Amino acid sequence: MANHKSALKRIRSNEAKRLRNRYQHKTTRNAIKKLRDTEDKKEAETLYPSVVSMIDKLAKKNIIHTNKASNLKSKLAKHVAAL
């Protein structure tokens, strides 16, 4: 168990950040699935910018790697264009 006040605070803040990161990552994954399942081009085109924004935010906060974000955006763009 931690003995210092700062260590206890670090434990609390790490847990809060972990939960926030998990929530944002899961929400983004669900949005990606929804976009991939979409068959309507109009709906996909309106959904695409918000999903890309979510992916960029995850990459900026180092929740996912920058290259993974680029790959996801590229695949989604190809999917939307193919509809």
Side-chain angles (χ1 to χ4, degrees):
M1 186 61 199
N3 292 324
H4 296 281
K5 210 172 185 182
S6 59
L8 293 170
K9 182 177 178 181
R10 176 61 62 197
I11 289 170
R12 288 195 309 271
S13 64
N14 283 347
E15 180 65 13
K17 287 175 187 172
R18 184 183 73 85
L19 292 174
R20 190 179 316 116
N21 289 343
R22 278 184 63 194
Y23 172 77
Q24 291 172 345
H25 193 50
K26 185 65 175 176
T27 305
T28 304
R29 285 199 306 260
N30 287 338
I32 290 169
K33 283 180 191 168
K34 184 178 178 186
L35 181 59
R36 283 190 180 138
D37 292 341
T38 303
E39 298 295 327
D40 182 31
K41 189 172 176 77
K42 279 262 193 219
E43 186 182 344
E45 286 175 342
T46 57
L47 206 58
Y48 179 72
S50 63
V51 173
V52 167
S53 174
M54 293 169 88
I55 291 171
D56 285 336
K57 284 176 187 170
L58 290 181
K60 184 179 179 184
K61 295 175 184 174
N62 288 324
I63 298 171
I64 61 173
H65 196 274
T66 312
N67 291 351
K68 180 183 174 78
S70 297
N71 287 335
L72 284 170
K73 291 191 292 185
S74 172
K75 287 176 183 173
L76 291 173
K78 285 172 81 173
H79 172 71
V80 171
L83 288 176

Coordinates of all heavy atoms in Angstrom, one line a residue:
M1 N 0.8 -1.2 0.0 CA 0.0 0.0 0.0 C 0.9 1.2 0.0 O 1.9 1.3 0.6 CB -0.9 0.0 1.2 CG -1.9 1.1 1.3 SD -3.1 1.0 0.0 CE -3.8 2.6 0.0
A2 N 0.4 2.3 -0.7 CA 1.2 3.5 -0.8 C 1.3 4.2 0.6 O 0.3 4.2 1.4 CB 0.5 4.5 -1.8
N3 N 2.4 4.8 0.8 CA 2.6 5.5 2.1 C 2.6 7.0 2.0 O 2.4 7.7 3.0 CB 4.0 5.1 2.7 CG 4.0 3.6 3.1 OD1 3.0 3.1 3.6 ND2 5.1 3.0 2.9
H4 N 2.7 7.5 0.8 CA 2.8 9.0 0.7 C 1.5 9.5 0.2 O 0.7 8.9 -0.6 CB 3.9 9.4 -0.3 CG 5.3 9.0 0.2 ND1 6.0 9.7 1.1 CD2 6.1 7.9 -0.1 CE1 7.1 9.2 1.3 NE2 7.2 8.1 0.6
K5 N 1.2 10.8 0.5 CA 0.0 11.5 0.1 C -0.1 11.6 -1.4 O -1.1 11.3 -2.0 CB 0.0 12.8 0.8 CG -1.4 13.4 1.1 CD -1.2 14.7 1.9 CE -2.6 15.2 2.3 NZ -2.5 16.5 3.0
S6 N 1.1 11.9 -2.0 CA 1.1 12.1 -3.5 C 0.9 10.7 -4.2 O 0.2 10.7 -5.2 CB 2.4 12.7 -3.9 OG 3.5 11.8 -3.5
A7 N 1.3 9.6 -3.6 CA 1.1 8.3 -4.2 C -0.3 7.9 -4.1 O -0.9 7.3 -5.1 CB 2.0 7.3 -3.5
L8 N -1.0 8.3 -3.0 CA -2.4 8.0 -2.9 C -3.2 8.8 -3.9 O -4.1 8.3 -4.6 CB -2.9 8.3 -1.5 CG -2.4 7.4 -0.4 CD1 -2.7 7.9 1.0 CD2 -2.9 6.0 -0.5
K9 N -2.8 10.0 -4.1 CA -3.5 10.9 -5.1 C -3.3 10.3 -6.5 O -4.2 10.3 -7.3 CB -3.0 12.3 -5.0 CG -3.7 13.3 -5.9 CD -3.2 14.7 -5.7 CE -3.9 15.6 -6.7 NZ -3.5 17.0 -6.6
R10 N -2.1 9.9 -6.8 CA -1.7 9.3 -8.1 C -2.6 8.1 -8.4 O -3.1 7.9 -9.5 CB -0.2 9.0 -8.1 CG 0.2 8.3 -9.4 CD 0.1 9.2 -10.6 NE 0.8 10.4 -10.5 CZ 0.6 11.5 -11.3 NH1 -0.4 11.4 -12.2 NH2 1.3 12.5 -11.2
I11 N -2.8 7.3 -7.4 CA -3.6 6.1 -7.6 C -5.0 6.5 -7.9 O -5.6 5.9 -8.8 CB -3.6 5.2 -6.3 CG1 -2.2 4.5 -6.1 CG2 -4.7 4.2 -6.3 CD1 -2.0 3.9 -4.8
R12 N -5.6 7.5 -7.2 CA -6.9 7.9 -7.5 C -7.0 8.5 -8.9 O -8.0 8.2 -9.6 CB -7.4 9.0 -6.5 CG -7.7 8.4 -5.1 CD -8.4 9.4 -4.2 NE -7.8 10.8 -4.2 CZ -6.9 11.2 -3.3 NH1 -6.5 10.4 -2.4 NH2 -6.5 12.4 -3.4
S13 N -6.1 9.4 -9.3 CA -6.2 10.0 -10.6 C -6.0 9.0 -11.7 O -6.6 9.2 -12.7 CB -5.2 11.2 -10.7 OG -3.8 10.7 -10.6
N14 N -5.1 8.1 -11.5 CA -4.8 7.0 -12.5 C -6.1 6.2 -12.8 O -6.4 5.9 -13.9 CB -3.7 6.1 -12.1 CG -2.3 6.7 -12.3 OD1 -2.2 7.7 -13.0 ND2 -1.3 6.1 -11.7
E15 N -6.8 5.9 -11.7 CA -8.1 5.1 -11.9 C -9.1 5.9 -12.6 O -9.8 5.4 -13.5 CB -8.6 4.7 -10.5 CG -9.9 3.9 -10.6 CD -9.7 2.6 -11.2 OE1 -8.6 2.1 -11.4 OE2 -10.8 1.9 -11.5
A16 N -9.2 7.2 -12.3 CA -10.2 8.1 -13.0 C -9.8 8.2 -14.5 O -10.7 8.1 -15.3 CB -10.2 9.5 -12.3
K17 N -8.6 8.4 -14.8 CA -8.1 8.5 -16.2 C -8.4 7.2 -16.9 O -8.8 7.2 -18.1 CB -6.7 8.9 -16.2 CG -6.4 10.3 -15.9 CD -4.9 10.6 -15.8 CE -4.7 12.0 -15.3 NZ -3.2 12.3 -15.0
R18 N -8.1 6.1 -16.2 CA -8.3 4.8 -16.9 C -9.7 4.6 -17.3 O -10.0 4.1 -18.4 CB -7.8 3.6 -15.9 CG -7.9 2.2 -16.5 CD -7.5 1.2 -15.5 NE -8.5 1.0 -14.5 CZ -9.6 0.2 -14.7 NH1 -9.7 -0.5 -15.8 NH2 -10.5 0.0 -13.7
L19 N -10.6 4.9 -16.4 CA -12.1 4.7 -16.6 C -12.5 5.7 -17.8 O -13.3 5.3 -18.6 CB -12.9 5.0 -15.4 CG -12.7 4.0 -14.3 CD1 -13.5 4.4 -13.0 CD2 -13.2 2.6 -14.7
R20 N -12.0 6.9 -17.8 CA -12.4 7.8 -18.8 C -11.8 7.4 -20.2 O -12.6 7.4 -21.2 CB -11.8 9.2 -18.5 CG -12.3 10.3 -19.4 CD -11.7 11.7 -19.1 NE -11.7 12.0 -17.7 CZ -10.6 12.2 -17.0 NH1 -9.4 12.1 -17.5 NH2 -10.7 12.5 -15.7
N21 N -10.6 6.9 -20.2 CA -10.0 6.3 -21.5 C -10.8 5.1 -22.0 O -11.1 5.0 -23.2 CB -8.6 5.9 -21.3 CG -7.7 7.2 -21.1 OD1 -8.0 8.3 -21.4 ND2 -6.5 6.9 -20.6
R22 N -11.2 4.2 -21.1 CA -12.0 3.0 -21.5 C -13.3 3.5 -22.1 O -13.7 2.9 -23.1 CB -12.2 2.1 -20.3 CG -11.0 1.2 -20.0 CD -11.4 0.3 -18.8 NE -12.5 -0.6 -19.2 CZ -13.1 -1.4 -18.3 NH1 -12.8 -1.3 -17.1 NH2 -14.1 -2.1 -18.7
Y23 N -14.0 4.4 -21.4 CA -15.3 4.9 -21.9 C -15.1 5.5 -23.3 O -15.9 5.1 -24.2 CB -15.9 5.9 -20.9 CG -17.1 6.6 -21.5 CD1 -18.3 5.9 -21.4 CD2 -17.1 7.8 -22.0 CE1 -19.5 6.5 -21.9 CE2 -18.2 8.4 -22.5 CZ -19.4 7.7 -22.5 OH -20.5 8.3 -23.0
Q24 N -14.2 6.4 -23.5 CA -14.0 7.0 -24.8 C -13.6 6.0 -25.9 O -14.1 6.1 -27.0 CB -12.9 8.1 -24.7 CG -13.4 9.3 -23.8 CD -12.3 10.3 -23.6 OE1 -11.1 10.0 -23.8 NE2 -12.6 11.5 -23.1
H25 N -12.8 5.1 -25.5 CA -12.3 4.1 -26.5 C -13.5 3.2 -26.9 O -13.7 2.9 -28.1 CB -11.2 3.3 -25.9 CG -10.4 2.4 -26.9 ND1 -9.9 2.9 -28.1 CD2 -10.1 1.1 -26.9 CE1 -9.3 2.0 -28.7 NE2 -9.4 0.9 -28.0
K26 N -14.3 2.7 -26.0 CA -15.4 1.9 -26.3 C -16.5 2.6 -27.1 O -17.0 2.1 -28.0 CB -16.0 1.4 -24.9 CG -17.1 0.4 -25.1 CD -16.6 -0.9 -25.7 CE -17.7 -2.0 -25.8 NZ -17.3 -3.2 -26.5
T27 N -16.7 3.9 -26.7 CA -17.7 4.7 -27.5 C -17.2 4.8 -28.9 O -18.1 4.7 -29.9 CB -17.8 6.1 -26.8 OG1 -18.2 5.9 -25.4 CG2 -18.9 6.9 -27.5
T28 N -16.0 5.1 -29.1 CA -15.4 5.2 -30.5 C -15.6 3.9 -31.3 O -15.9 3.9 -32.4 CB -14.0 5.7 -30.4 OG1 -13.9 6.9 -29.7 CG2 -13.4 5.9 -31.8
R29 N -15.2 2.8 -30.6 CA -15.4 1.5 -31.3 C -16.8 1.2 -31.7 O -17.1 0.7 -32.8 CB -14.9 0.4 -30.4 CG -13.4 0.3 -30.2 CD -12.9 -1.0 -29.8 NE -13.5 -1.5 -28.5 CZ -12.9 -1.3 -27.3 NH1 -11.7 -0.8 -27.2 NH2 -13.5 -1.8 -26.2
N30 N -17.8 1.6 -30.8 CA -19.2 1.4 -31.2 C -19.6 2.3 -32.4 O -20.3 1.8 -33.2 CB -20.1 1.7 -30.0 CG -20.0 0.6 -28.9 OD1 -19.6 -0.5 -29.2 ND2 -20.3 0.9 -27.7
A31 N -19.1 3.5 -32.4 CA -19.3 4.4 -33.5 C -18.8 3.9 -34.8 O -19.4 4.0 -35.9 CB -18.8 5.8 -33.2
I32 N -17.6 3.3 -34.8 CA -16.9 2.7 -35.9 C -17.8 1.5 -36.4 O -18.0 1.4 -37.7 CB -15.5 2.3 -35.6 CG1 -14.6 3.5 -35.4 CG2 -14.9 1.4 -36.7 CD1 -13.2 3.2 -34.9
K33 N -18.2 0.7 -35.5 CA -19.1 -0.5 -35.9 C -20.4 0.0 -36.6 O -20.8 -0.5 -37.6 CB -19.4 -1.3 -34.7 CG -18.3 -2.2 -34.3 CD -18.7 -3.0 -33.0 CE -17.5 -3.7 -32.4 NZ -17.8 -4.3 -31.1
K34 N -21.0 1.1 -36.0 CA -22.2 1.6 -36.6 C -22.0 2.1 -38.0 O -22.8 1.9 -38.9 CB -22.7 2.7 -35.6 CG -24.0 3.3 -36.1 CD -24.5 4.4 -35.1 CE -25.8 5.0 -35.6 NZ -26.3 6.1 -34.8
L35 N -20.9 2.8 -38.2 CA -20.5 3.3 -39.5 C -20.3 2.2 -40.5 O -20.7 2.3 -41.6 CB -19.3 4.3 -39.4 CG -18.8 4.9 -40.7 CD1 -20.0 5.8 -41.3 CD2 -17.6 5.8 -40.5
R36 N -19.6 1.2 -40.1 CA -19.3 0.0 -41.0 C -20.6 -0.7 -41.3 O -20.7 -1.3 -42.4 CB -18.3 -0.9 -40.3 CG -16.9 -0.4 -40.3 CD -15.9 -1.5 -39.9 NE -14.6 -1.0 -39.9 CZ -13.7 -1.3 -39.0 NH1 -14.0 -2.0 -38.0 NH2 -12.5 -0.8 -39.1
D37 N -21.6 -0.8 -40.4 CA -22.8 -1.5 -40.7 C -23.8 -0.7 -41.5 O -24.8 -1.2 -42.0 CB -23.5 -1.9 -39.4 CG -22.7 -2.9 -38.6 OD1 -21.8 -3.6 -39.3 OD2 -22.9 -3.1 -37.4
T38 N -23.5 0.6 -41.7 CA -24.4 1.5 -42.4 C -24.4 1.2 -43.9 O -23.4 1.0 -44.5 CB -24.0 3.0 -42.2 OG1 -24.0 3.2 -40.8 CG2 -25.0 3.9 -42.9
E39 N -25.6 1.1 -44.5 CA -25.7 0.8 -45.9 C -26.1 2.0 -46.7 O -26.0 2.1 -47.9 CB -26.8 -0.3 -46.1 CG -26.4 -1.6 -45.5 CD -25.2 -2.3 -46.1 OE1 -24.9 -2.1 -47.3 OE2 -24.5 -3.0 -45.3
D40 N -26.6 3.0 -46.0 CA -27.1 4.3 -46.6 C -25.9 5.3 -46.7 O -25.3 5.6 -45.7 CB -28.2 4.9 -45.8 CG -28.8 6.1 -46.4 OD1 -28.8 6.2 -47.6 OD2 -29.2 7.0 -45.6
K41 N -25.7 5.7 -48.0 CA -24.5 6.6 -48.2 C -24.7 7.9 -47.5 O -23.7 8.5 -46.9 CB -24.3 6.8 -49.7 CG -23.0 7.5 -50.0 CD -22.7 7.5 -51.5 CE -21.5 8.3 -51.9 NZ -20.2 7.6 -51.6
K42 N -25.9 8.5 -47.6 CA -26.1 9.8 -47.0 C -25.8 9.8 -45.4 O -25.2 10.6 -44.9 CB -27.6 10.2 -47.2 CG -27.8 10.8 -48.5 CD -27.8 12.3 -48.4 CE -28.4 13.0 -49.6 NZ -27.7 14.2 -50.0
E43 N -26.4 8.7 -44.8 CA -26.2 8.6 -43.4 C -24.7 8.4 -43.0 O -24.2 8.9 -42.1 CB -27.0 7.4 -42.8 CG -27.0 7.3 -41.3 CD -27.8 6.1 -40.8 OE1 -28.6 5.5 -41.6 OE2 -27.6 5.7 -39.7
A44 N -24.0 7.6 -43.8 CA -22.6 7.3 -43.6 C -21.8 8.6 -43.8 O -20.8 8.8 -43.0 CB -22.1 6.3 -44.6
E45 N -22.1 9.4 -44.8 CA -21.4 10.7 -45.0 C -21.6 11.6 -43.8 O -20.7 12.4 -43.5 CB -21.8 11.3 -46.3 CG -21.2 10.6 -47.5 CD -21.7 11.1 -48.8 OE1 -22.7 11.9 -48.8 OE2 -21.1 10.9 -49.8
T46 N -22.7 11.6 -43.2 CA -23.0 12.5 -42.1 C -22.3 12.0 -40.8 O -21.9 12.8 -39.9 CB -24.5 12.7 -41.8 OG1 -25.1 11.5 -41.6 CG2 -25.1 13.5 -43.0
L47 N -22.2 10.7 -40.7 CA -21.6 10.0 -39.5 C -20.1 10.1 -39.6 O -19.4 10.2 -38.5 CB -22.1 8.6 -39.5 CG -22.1 7.8 -38.1 CD1 -23.0 8.6 -37.2 CD2 -22.6 6.4 -38.3
Y48 N -19.5 10.0 -40.8 CA -18.0 9.9 -40.9 C -17.2 11.0 -40.2 O -16.3 10.7 -39.5 CB -17.7 9.8 -42.4 CG -16.2 9.8 -42.7 CD1 -15.5 8.6 -42.5 CD2 -15.5 10.8 -43.3 CE1 -14.2 8.5 -42.7 CE2 -14.2 10.8 -43.5 CZ -13.5 9.6 -43.2 OH -12.2 9.5 -43.5
P49 N -17.6 12.3 -40.4 CA -16.7 13.3 -39.7 C -16.7 13.2 -38.2 O -15.7 13.4 -37.6 CB -17.4 14.6 -40.2 CG -18.2 14.3 -41.4 CD -18.6 12.9 -41.2
S50 N -17.8 12.8 -37.6 CA -17.8 12.7 -36.1 C -17.0 11.5 -35.7 O -16.3 11.6 -34.7 CB -19.3 12.6 -35.6 OG -19.9 11.4 -36.1
V51 N -17.0 10.4 -36.4 CA -16.2 9.3 -36.1 C -14.7 9.6 -36.3 O -13.9 9.2 -35.4 CB -16.6 8.0 -37.0 CG1 -15.7 6.9 -36.7 CG2 -18.0 7.6 -36.7
V52 N -14.4 10.3 -37.3 CA -13.0 10.7 -37.5 C -12.5 11.6 -36.4 O -11.4 11.5 -35.9 CB -12.8 11.4 -38.9 CG1 -11.5 12.1 -39.0 CG2 -13.0 10.4 -40.0
S53 N -13.4 12.5 -36.0 CA -13.0 13.4 -34.9 C -12.8 12.6 -33.6 O -11.8 12.9 -32.9 CB -14.2 14.4 -34.6 OG -13.9 15.1 -33.5
M54 N -13.6 11.6 -33.3 CA -13.4 10.7 -32.1 C -12.1 10.0 -32.2 O -11.3 9.9 -31.2 CB -14.5 9.7 -32.0 CG -15.9 10.4 -31.7 SD -17.2 9.2 -31.9 CE -17.3 8.5 -30.3
I55 N -11.8 9.5 -33.4 CA -10.5 8.7 -33.6 C -9.3 9.7 -33.4 O -8.3 9.3 -32.7 CB -10.5 8.1 -35.0 CG1 -11.5 7.0 -35.1 CG2 -9.1 7.5 -35.3 CD1 -11.7 6.4 -36.5
D56 N -9.4 10.9 -33.9 CA -8.3 11.8 -33.8 C -8.1 12.2 -32.3 O -6.9 12.4 -31.9 CB -8.6 13.1 -34.6 CG -8.4 12.9 -36.1 OD1 -7.6 12.0 -36.4 OD2 -8.9 13.6 -36.9
K57 N -9.1 12.3 -31.6 CA -9.0 12.7 -30.1 C -8.3 11.5 -29.4 O -7.5 11.8 -28.5 CB -10.4 13.0 -29.5 CG -10.9 14.3 -29.9 CD -12.3 14.6 -29.4 CE -12.9 15.9 -30.0 NZ -14.3 16.0 -29.6
L58 N -8.7 10.3 -29.7 CA -8.0 9.2 -29.1 C -6.5 9.1 -29.4 O -5.7 8.9 -28.5 CB -8.7 7.8 -29.5 CG -10.1 7.6 -29.0 CD1 -10.5 6.2 -29.5 CD2 -10.2 7.6 -27.5
A59 N -6.2 9.4 -30.6 CA -4.8 9.4 -31.0 C -4.0 10.5 -30.4 O -2.9 10.4 -29.9 CB -4.7 9.5 -32.5
K60 N -4.6 11.7 -30.2 CA -4.0 12.8 -29.6 C -3.7 12.6 -28.2 O -2.6 13.0 -27.6 CB -4.9 14.1 -29.7 CG -4.3 15.3 -29.2 CD -5.3 16.5 -29.4 CE -4.7 17.8 -28.9 NZ -5.7 18.9 -28.9
K61 N -4.6 11.9 -27.5 CA -4.4 11.5 -26.1 C -3.6 10.2 -25.8 O -3.5 9.7 -24.7 CB -5.7 11.4 -25.4 CG -6.5 12.7 -25.3 CD -7.8 12.5 -24.7 CE -8.6 13.8 -24.8 NZ -10.0 13.6 -24.3
N62 N -3.0 9.7 -26.9 CA -2.2 8.4 -26.9 C -3.0 7.3 -26.3 O -2.4 6.3 -25.7 CB -1.0 8.6 -26.1 CG 0.0 9.5 -26.8 OD1 0.1 9.4 -28.0 ND2 0.7 10.3 -26.1
I63 N -4.3 7.2 -26.5 CA -5.1 6.1 -26.2 C -5.0 5.0 -27.2 O -4.9 3.8 -27.0 CB -6.6 6.5 -26.0 CG1 -6.7 7.5 -24.8 CG2 -7.4 5.2 -25.7 CD1 -8.1 8.1 -24.6
I64 N -4.9 5.5 -28.5 CA -4.5 4.6 -29.6 C -3.3 5.2 -30.3 O -3.1 6.4 -30.2 CB -5.7 4.3 -30.6 CG1 -6.1 5.6 -31.3 CG2 -6.8 3.6 -29.9 CD1 -7.2 5.5 -32.3
H65 N -2.6 4.4 -31.1 CA -1.4 4.8 -31.8 C -1.8 5.7 -33.0 O -2.9 5.5 -33.6 CB -0.6 3.6 -32.2 CG 0.8 4.0 -32.7 ND1 1.1 4.4 -33.9 CD2 2.0 3.9 -32.0 CE1 2.4 4.6 -34.0 NE2 2.9 4.3 -32.8
T66 N -1.0 6.6 -33.4 CA -1.3 7.5 -34.5 C -1.5 6.8 -35.8 O -2.4 7.1 -36.6 CB -0.1 8.5 -34.7 OG1 0.2 9.1 -33.4 CG2 -0.5 9.6 -35.6
N67 N -0.6 5.7 -36.0 CA -0.8 5.0 -37.3 C -2.1 4.2 -37.3 O -2.7 4.0 -38.3 CB 0.4 4.0 -37.4 CG 1.7 4.8 -37.7 OD1 1.7 6.0 -37.9 ND2 2.8 4.1 -37.7
K68 N -2.5 3.6 -36.1 CA -3.7 2.9 -36.1 C -4.9 3.8 -36.4 O -5.8 3.4 -37.1 CB -3.9 2.3 -34.7 CG -5.2 1.5 -34.5 CD -5.4 1.0 -33.1 CE -6.8 0.4 -32.9 NZ -6.9 -1.0 -33.5
A69 N -4.8 5.1 -35.9 CA -5.9 6.0 -36.2 C -5.9 6.3 -37.7 O -7.0 6.4 -38.3 CB -5.6 7.3 -35.4
S70 N -4.7 6.5 -38.3 CA -4.7 6.7 -39.7 C -5.3 5.6 -40.5 O -6.0 5.8 -41.5 CB -3.3 7.0 -40.2 OG -2.8 8.1 -39.6
N71 N -4.9 4.3 -40.1 CA -5.4 3.2 -40.8 C -7.0 3.1 -40.7 O -7.7 2.8 -41.7 CB -4.8 1.9 -40.2 CG -3.4 1.7 -40.7 OD1 -2.9 2.3 -41.7 ND2 -2.6 1.0 -39.9
L72 N -7.5 3.3 -39.5 CA -8.9 3.3 -39.3 C -9.6 4.3 -40.2 O -10.6 4.0 -40.8 CB -9.3 3.6 -37.8 CG -9.0 2.4 -36.8 CD1 -9.2 2.9 -35.4 CD2 -10.0 1.3 -37.1
K73 N -9.1 5.6 -40.2 CA -9.7 6.6 -41.0 C -9.7 6.3 -42.5 O -10.7 6.5 -43.2 CB -9.0 8.0 -40.7 CG -9.3 8.5 -39.3 CD -8.8 9.9 -39.2 CE -7.3 10.0 -39.2 NZ -6.8 11.4 -39.0
S74 N -8.6 5.7 -42.9 CA -8.5 5.4 -44.3 C -9.5 4.3 -44.7 O -10.2 4.4 -45.7 CB -7.0 4.9 -44.6 OG -6.9 4.3 -45.9
K75 N -9.6 3.2 -43.9 CA -10.5 2.2 -44.2 C -12.0 2.6 -44.2 O -12.8 2.2 -45.0 CB -10.3 1.0 -43.2 CG -9.0 0.2 -43.5 CD -8.8 -0.8 -42.4 CE -7.5 -1.6 -42.7 NZ -7.2 -2.5 -41.6
L76 N -12.3 3.5 -43.2 CA -13.6 4.0 -43.1 C -13.9 4.9 -44.3 O -15.1 4.9 -44.9 CB -13.8 4.8 -41.8 CG -13.9 4.0 -40.6 CD1 -13.9 4.9 -39.3 CD2 -15.0 3.0 -40.6
A77 N -13.0 5.7 -44.8 CA -13.2 6.6 -45.9 C -13.4 5.7 -47.2 O -14.3 6.1 -48.0 CB -12.0 7.5 -46.2
K78 N -12.7 4.6 -47.3 CA -12.9 3.7 -48.5 C -14.3 3.1 -48.4 O -14.9 3.0 -49.4 CB -11.8 2.7 -48.5 CG -10.4 3.1 -49.0 CD -9.4 2.1 -48.8 CE -9.4 1.1 -49.9 NZ -8.3 0.1 -49.8
H79 N -14.7 2.8 -47.2 CA -16.0 2.1 -47.0 C -17.1 3.1 -47.4 O -18.1 2.8 -48.2 CB -16.2 1.7 -45.6 CG -17.6 1.2 -45.3 ND1 -18.1 0.1 -45.7 CD2 -18.6 1.8 -44.5 CE1 -19.4 -0.1 -45.3 NE2 -19.7 1.0 -44.6
V80 N -17.0 4.4 -47.0 CA -18.0 5.4 -47.3 C -18.0 5.7 -48.8 O -19.1 5.8 -49.4 CB -17.8 6.7 -46.5 CG1 -18.7 7.8 -46.9 CG2 -18.0 6.4 -45.0
A81 N -16.8 5.7 -49.4 CA -16.8 6.0 -50.8 C -17.4 4.9 -51.7 O -17.9 5.1 -52.7 CB -15.3 6.3 -51.2
A82 N -17.2 3.6 -51.1 CA -17.7 2.5 -51.9 C -19.2 2.3 -51.9 O -19.8 1.5 -52.6 CB -17.0 1.2 -51.4
L83 N -19.9 3.0 -50.9 CA -21.3 2.8 -50.8 C -22.1 3.4 -52.0 O -21.6 4.3 -52.7 CB -21.8 3.5 -49.5 CG -21.5 2.8 -48.2 CD1 -21.9 3.7 -47.0 CD2 -22.1 1.4 -48.1

